[in-house]
């Protein structure tokens, strides 16, 4: 269990902690959803539409890393293989 992570010993207090951390991050991600969709069109099109790619990549990476860190801190490492 230590090497693969588990939700076995988690309590409702852990869920409450997750909610208070993940809800604001998910709302923040929702605010940037349209800009992230524009980024899928490519660098040149995104820049021509006035999007700062470096800034958006930094914001998206920070949100994604934070959400993953919260999950791993609560449950432990999750083995997918």
């Amino acid at each position: 269990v230590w090497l693969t992570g588990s939700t076995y010993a988690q309590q409702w207090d852990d869920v409450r902690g997750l909610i208070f951390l993940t809800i604001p991050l998910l709302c923040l991600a929702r605010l940037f959803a349209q800009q992230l969709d524009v980024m899928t069109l490519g660098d040149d099109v995104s820049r021509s539409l006035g999007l700062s790619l470096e800034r958006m990549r930094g914001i998206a990476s920070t949100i994604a890393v934070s959400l993953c860190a919260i999950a791993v801190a609560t449950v432990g490492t999750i083995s997918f293989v």
Side-chain angles (χ1 to χ4, degrees):
V1 173
W2 181 77
L3 292 175
T4 60
S6 174
T7 58
Y8 175 71
Q10 302 302 319
Q11 303 292 325
W12 284 108
D13 294 334
D14 299 320
V15 174
R16 284 187 211 107
L18 277 175
I19 289 172
F20 289 123
L21 294 171
T22 56
I23 296 295
L25 286 172
L26 290 174
C27 291
L28 190 61
R30 178 67 179 110
L31 288 175
F32 292 109
Q34 186 175 8
Q35 289 89 355
L36 293 172
D37 284 341
V38 170
M39 285 178 61
T40 63
L41 299 173
D43 290 353
D44 294 333
V45 175
S46 299
R47 281 193 186 104
S48 68
L49 291 173
L51 189 65
S52 174
L53 292 176
E54 293 79 18
R55 182 174 158 258
M56 280 310 302
R57 285 181 180 141
I59 290 170
S61 297
T62 302
I63 292 171
V65 167
S66 299
L67 286 170
C68 290
I70 291 167
V72 170
T74 303
V75 178
T77 57
I78 304 294
S79 172
F80 292 106
V81 178

